[in-house]
Amino acid sequence: MNTEQAILETIRTLPQDKQQEVLDFAEFLKQKTEGKDQLKRFKQLVENWRAEQDPFSSVINFDHPAYKAIIGMGMDAVPLILRELQEDPDYWFWALQQITKENPVEAGQEGNLELMTLVWLSWGEERGYISK
Amino acid sequence: MSDFIEQAFPNLKDAGYQITSPQNRKYNCIAWAVGDQSRWWQPEPSIFYWPAGVDREISVEAYVAAFAAVGYVECDGDQPEDGCEKIALYALNNKPTHAARQLNNGLWTSKLGQVEDVEHTLDGLVGNKYGTVIKFLKRPKP
């Protein structure tokens, strides 16, 4: 009997409410594993984008495969981007705008890394994506 | 002195230069040239600061118009002028790449992309990365 069969056999012996608990726990483990994979991928994309930018350029380039891939992660990337902003502020506001279709930054705050970071972190806290 | 910087700008090594700030991403050379240390000036996308009414494009005309929005007019040459501050605009293949601001001692100060500020000669930054100086602009000192 392999592991999968052993798990199924054991679960079959449990009452129905306990079977549901096992299912819930399995779902929790699955999400945790997927979350770790997503974080790893996100961090790799951040590193690629930073490493492949010209550090001497006066223009920040968002037309880069890694930055676009982060946008492509959709709403799953939002808490990861916000945590990245907390740790090491950078120009993630374009990605946040593209994903969420929102822009909490007010006229006059454009280009101000410190202010825009505060505004987006506050936006994320209000919506429960991150905690303070 | 920095090998990293000298590899990108080989002229700096012979011409001499000084690093005058730590690295930061808060402002770029365009902002630094006009005396703004709080914002990153870039035509697009719209998350960056760019003066209202100026074309959001990377062209010499748009950059000159952006400088004009804060009081600069085109002028001749790099000679210091009493009562004026000057900017040198670099371009490569007719696309703006960099701006530097003249200091009282006749040398120039630049923010290099997302890294440090440096004090340098104009020729120090000429090369494959920023191209050459194509315009000078000036405005009265505040």
Side-chain angles (χ1 to χ4, degrees):
Chain A
M1 186 184 294
N2 63 28
T3 309
E4 192 178 326
Q5 287 168 331
I7 290 168
L8 287 172
E9 286 297 318
T10 309
I11 290 173
R12 279 197 192 103
T13 64
L14 295 172
Q16 198 162 6
D17 60 327
K18 295 295 174 194
Q19 286 184 0
Q20 186 60 49
E21 281 182 28
V22 172
L23 193 61
D24 292 344
F25 184 64
E27 184 62 31
F28 165 76
L29 287 178
K30 184 174 165 230
Q31 284 181 9
K32 202 174 161 188
T33 308
E34 284 173 354
K36 273 185 186 167
D37 290 346
Q38 269 188 340
L39 178 62
K40 195 175 165 187
R41 178 163 180 255
F42 174 78
K43 288 285 185 189
Q44 186 61 58
L45 291 169
V46 170
E47 195 180 315
N48 290 353
W49 178 60
R50 288 206 174 121
E52 289 166 22
Q53 279 194 89
D54 178 354
F56 298 107
S57 176
S58 64
V59 174
I60 294 179
N61 176 23
F62 301 130
D63 189 25
H64 183 278
Y67 198 92
K68 286 179 176 176
I70 288 171
I71 293 173
M73 289 171 73
M75 291 304 288
D76 288 345
V78 171
L80 305 177
I81 294 173
L82 293 171
R83 264 178 255 141
E84 183 67 26
L85 267 181
Q86 284 176 319
E87 291 167 13
D88 187 9
D90 206 339
Y91 294 94
W92 295 111
F93 319 114
W94 180 244
L96 286 167
Q97 266 192 45
Q98 295 301 298
I99 295 168
T100 66
K101 308 297 178 203
E102 292 196 42
N103 183 15
V105 174
E106 292 177 11
Q109 297 177 327
E110 300 93 343
N112 189 315
L113 182 62
E114 286 176 341
L115 269 180
M116 294 169 88
T117 298
L118 288 174
V119 167
W120 272 104
L121 289 180
S122 170
W123 176 93
E125 284 161 11
E126 283 166 17
R127 284 155 185 77
Y129 288 114
I130 47 163
S131 50
K132 283 186 183 177
Chain B
M1 303 297 139
S2 154
D3 288 345
F4 178 60
I5 291 174
E6 288 168 16
Q7 276 172 13
F9 305 100
N11 286 358
L12 281 178
K13 199 168 182 177
D14 292 333
Y17 71 103
Q18 274 187 61
I19 295 172
T20 54
S21 80
Q23 293 192 2
N24 82 74
R25 302 182 185 124
K26 291 179 195 170
Y27 57 92
N28 63 352
C29 61
I30 309 299
W32 178 245
V34 303
D36 183 352
Q37 292 181 67
S38 65
R39 295 180 291 195
W40 188 280
W41 288 41
Q42 183 170 320
E44 54 184 0
S46 55
I47 66 160
F48 295 111
Y49 177 73
W50 198 242
V54 177
D55 285 346
R56 285 186 168 269
E57 61 179 31
I58 299 176
S59 68
V60 173
E61 294 75 18
Y63 276 56
V64 168
F67 290 129
V70 285
Y72 285 90
V73 294
E74 290 188 51
C75 65
D76 295 325
D78 62 346
Q79 288 305 306
E81 289 182 36
D82 285 343
C84 285
E85 53 187 21
K86 284 193 174 183
I87 285 176
L89 180 63
Y90 292 73
L92 189 63
N93 302 321
N94 209 36
K95 292 281 183 195
T97 53
H98 183 70
R101 171 166 40 93
Q102 195 168 38
L103 296 165
N104 290 335
N105 61 9
L107 290 173
W108 298 78
T109 179
S110 282
K111 171 73 170 16
L112 300 178
Q114 298 190 46
V115 295
E116 293 99 340
D117 301 343
V118 293
E119 190 176 315
H120 60 93
T121 65
L122 280 182
D123 283 344
L125 296 183
V126 168
N128 294 336
K129 199 158 278 292
Y130 289 163
T132 56
V133 176
I134 57 152
K135 281 190 187 297
F136 292 100
L137 301 101
K138 70 177 180 182
R139 73 176 175 187
K141 277 186 181 164

